[in-house]
Amino acid sequence: MSTSNNRRPGRWRIVAAIGAVAAIGLAGCGLNEGNSSSGNTSGGTSVLRIGTTTDVSNFNPLQSLSKTDSWILNAMYPHLLRIDENAKKAPELAKEYTYEDGGKTAVFKLRDDFTWTDGKPVVAEDVKFSAEMIMKYKLGNVAAKLTWVESIEAPDATTVKFKLSQPYAPFAEGIGFWMSIVPKHIFEGAGDLSKFANDSNWVGAGPFVLESATKGQRYVMKRNDKYPLAPGGKAAVSQVEYRVYPDVNTMMLALRNGDIDMMGTPVPASAAKTFENDEKIKLNKVGALGFAHLTYNMNNKDLAKQEVRQALSMSVDTKAIISAVLQGDGQQMSGPISPIFSDYDNTDLQPYAFDPAGAKAKLASAGYRDGDGDGFFDNLSLGVACDQSNANLTRVVQLFRESAAKAGIKLENECVERNTFLSRTKSGEYDIDASQWGVFDNPMDQLRSTYLSSNPGGINYNLLKSDEMDRLINDAAATTDPAAFTQKIKNIDRVVHEQAYLTPLYVENFQFAYNASKFTGFVASPSDLLGMVTAYSLAQVKPAS
């Protein structure tokens, strides 16, 4: 780091102009419910209909974590940065960021042409207010990323300064990408923002703003006529409508029938071939920024034992899962760091080998017995929770139950509706969580969010409280030397692997289906969370004809 007050460029400095991006053809067909059809109409409007399997659970962008929440809210509320189609950070509301004071001050310079839909400009005070409210009420996973912020300044309308208690290299990119910016003049009158529903009269500054919400049916978004990142200053699509379907199979049928224009969720690998003979429907493949995994609840008396977690890891036939669930289109992992972060992935680690006999022996040595001779260890029955709308993970749970039975471990399928699953996971009402992280944009923030005991708003679904892990994570976070930092991340990777706090399953590629005859211009980003429906992507879309 540079000396105090010596201004140092961040990892990038990008001017406001954003270059052209590669267009990906998408499509649209109307619903047979009396509404205007998608694509061009005689009135010059165009409606893009997107399928989802989940309702919005929280309209407050400062604390929401659900996937469909993110799709809709990110189209309304800008972020300082975004992830582009190459998995790199790119400017959104912020033109650039730099560090000052030896890395203890992060400075964002904002664009001056973003406007809230009630006509007021988006200014630095909105950014300052959003961050301060997240800190005050410990809202969402962004609260953990603001842990070291001592104060925030907005010296002028386009400058925001975050004063940190110590240097933290990923700070600007983490906050820039994850934090939603809300209108101060709207939210400041709402009182306790941890209780603010924000479920009507929406004011946004993204390419679209929510107009109506009908739970279980649809969410209708109208165009913001002043959005500077869209060609011509506003999106070509006049309306985006999210349609709610009970499951992925029903959504796939809706796409074939022309009731929707694209699927917001990926097509299960096992179902991708069903679209091969349809000339209108195309598939676009993107990579992953997260990974599928099994997480063990440390508050469970059995799962609190390292031997049990290791035995479960030895009971997962990961290679068979990748073959059966992903048709082989996936990569096995060892520790909690995805191989996409090649500099930090500890390649000295090897995945737990599928060894039911060895798992059974480990449990026997830990004192577990099969007293009634039914083939299962007595008093060792565990539930495996998942989002039942995720076809891949429901199949994973089925295969895991079958393979674990060979090790004498009885597992129960507890897959439920997505919002129920998220609620139970967050509150610790589960034994084993089979899920998939959507986006990790850097390993340090990932480890802090998932394993730090004091994390005020993260995703520590293990409910882990470990002095050792806290020490290792906090020490790494304060390390500014790149080589030392990398080694400390690899060491944490090793500890998580040895403790078997989770069992990584796979990193996969995702395929998104769309009707290629109706819309063009979408810009796909990596991961199932971002995919085709980021704010930037929706702003680039135009009717094909």
Side-chain angles (χ1 to χ4, degrees), residues 37-267:
S37 61
S38 57
N40 288 320
T41 70
S42 58
T45 61
S46 56
V47 181
L48 172 70
R49 295 189 171 95
I50 305 171
T52 180
T53 57
T54 314
D55 275 294
V56 174
S57 62
N58 191 335
F59 292 99
N60 187 336
L62 298 183
Q63 60 181 354
S64 176
L65 290 175
S66 179
K67 181 180 296 184
T68 302
D69 297 6
S70 297
W71 293 347
I72 292 176
L73 298 177
N74 287 348
M76 298 169 61
Y77 300 100
H79 292 221
L80 293 166
L81 310 176
R82 64 182 181 87
I83 289 181
D84 67 14
E85 61 274 25
N86 298 312
K88 303 296 184 182
K89 295 292 177 20
E92 190 173 327
L93 175 59
K95 296 189 296 185
E96 65 179 36
Y97 76 81
T98 55
Y99 284 105
E100 297 176 346
D101 303 330
K104 293 180 65 175
T105 300
V107 183
F108 288 94
K109 296 296 293 184
L110 311 183
R111 295 177 64 117
D112 62 2
D113 52 359
F114 270 70
T115 305
W116 298 110
T117 48
D118 62 1
K120 295 184 180 294
V122 181
V123 294
E125 281 293 339
D126 294 314
V127 179
K128 179 176 183 289
F129 172 81
S130 300
E132 288 177 342
M133 291 303 99
I134 291 171
M135 294 166 62
K136 179 178 180 179
Y137 296 107
K138 295 180 172 58
L139 302 177
N141 66 334
V142 178
K145 303 178 191 303
L146 290 165
T147 300
W148 291 311
V149 174
E150 294 187 328
S151 63
I152 307 171
E153 299 175 1
D156 56 59
T158 58
T159 305
V160 184
K161 294 187 176 185
F162 291 84
K163 302 284 188 176
L164 310 180
S165 60
Q166 63 185 51
Y168 182 54
F171 174 81
E173 290 198 356
I175 290 299
F177 171 68
W178 286 103
M179 186 174 70
S180 295
I181 310 304
V182 300
K184 177 182 178 181
H185 63 283
I186 300 295
F187 278 60
E188 67 181 347
D192 185 346
L193 291 187
S194 68
K195 301 177 181 178
F196 180 40
N198 191 40
D199 55 1
S200 63
N201 301 317
W202 295 280
V203 173
F208 296 92
V209 64
L210 197 59
E211 186 173 40
S212 66
T214 307
K215 187 174 182 179
Q217 296 184 37
R218 73 183 73 198
Y219 297 82
V220 179
M221 308 190 76
K222 63 181 179 180
R223 177 174 56 201
N224 175 7
D225 288 335
K226 294 182 179 180
Y227 185 68
L229 300 187
K234 65 179 181 181
V237 172
S238 60
Q239 183 174 298
V240 171
E241 181 177 313
Y242 281 89
R243 299 287 308 184
V244 183
Y245 291 92
D247 52 61
V248 173
N249 290 332
T250 308
M251 192 197 310
M252 291 170 61
L253 181 61
L255 180 61
R256 289 194 189 92
N257 292 341
D259 291 335
I260 57 174
D261 308 322
M262 65 174 295
M263 294 173 57
T265 54
V267 179

Side-chain angles (χ1 to χ4, degrees), residues 286-488:
V286 301
L289 290 175
F291 56 91
H293 59 93
L294 301 169
T295 295
Y296 306 115
N297 188 335
M298 297 291 287
N299 286 345
N300 179 288
K301 64 180 179 60
D302 295 304
L303 296 174
K305 301 174 183 178
Q306 181 183 14
E307 300 92 338
V308 174
R309 300 192 302 271
Q310 290 176 334
L312 284 162
S313 296
M314 296 163 64
S315 303
V316 183
D317 192 348
T318 307
K319 292 181 179 178
I321 287 174
I322 292 174
S323 176
V325 176
L326 304 182
Q327 308 301 300
D329 193 9
Q331 182 176 355
Q332 189 174 6
M333 293 176 57
S334 299
I337 304 299
S338 170
I340 196 172
F341 302 115
S342 57
D343 290 343
Y344 304 100
D345 182 26
N346 191 338
T347 55
D348 292 336
L349 303 178
Q350 294 297 319
Y352 284 90
F354 178 53
D355 183 5
K360 186 175 289 188
K362 185 176 285 289
L363 290 171
S365 66
Y368 289 89
R369 299 288 181 266
D370 177 14
D372 57 11
D374 66 351
F376 293 99
F377 287 103
D378 301 335
N379 302 316
L380 186 61
S381 178
L382 301 165
V384 186
C386 83
D387 168 14
Q388 66 184 12
S389 70
N390 188 315
N392 285 351
L393 288 175
T394 55
R395 179 67 171 142
V396 165
V397 172
Q398 177 184 345
L399 294 172
F400 182 28
R401 290 181 65 202
E402 294 171 359
S403 62
K406 298 177 182 178
I409 304 171
K410 178 180 285 188
L411 301 178
E412 299 293 338
N413 186 327
E414 296 182 352
C415 295
V416 293
E417 180 270 335
R418 179 172 175 78
N419 285 334
T420 302
F421 165 71
L422 292 172
S423 175
R424 290 178 181 176
T425 302
K426 188 174 182 180
S427 61
E429 298 176 28
Y430 74 95
D431 297 328
I432 302 173
D433 169 343
S435 59
Q436 186 156 325
W437 300 127
V439 174
F440 284 130
D441 64 312
N442 69 76
M444 189 69 257
D445 276 350
Q446 170 191 336
L447 294 171
R448 292 189 71 246
S449 292
T450 50
Y451 297 113
L452 190 65
S453 301
S454 61
N455 189 339
I459 46 180
N460 180 0
Y461 293 157
N462 279 108
L463 304 179
L464 177 66
K465 295 181 179 179
S466 165
D467 292 340
E468 178 192 23
M469 285 295 291
D470 288 352
R471 178 182 59 78
L472 292 173
I473 291 170
N474 288 327
D475 178 56
T479 301
T480 57
D481 177 73
F485 177 77
T486 298
Q487 189 55 48
K488 289 178 180 181

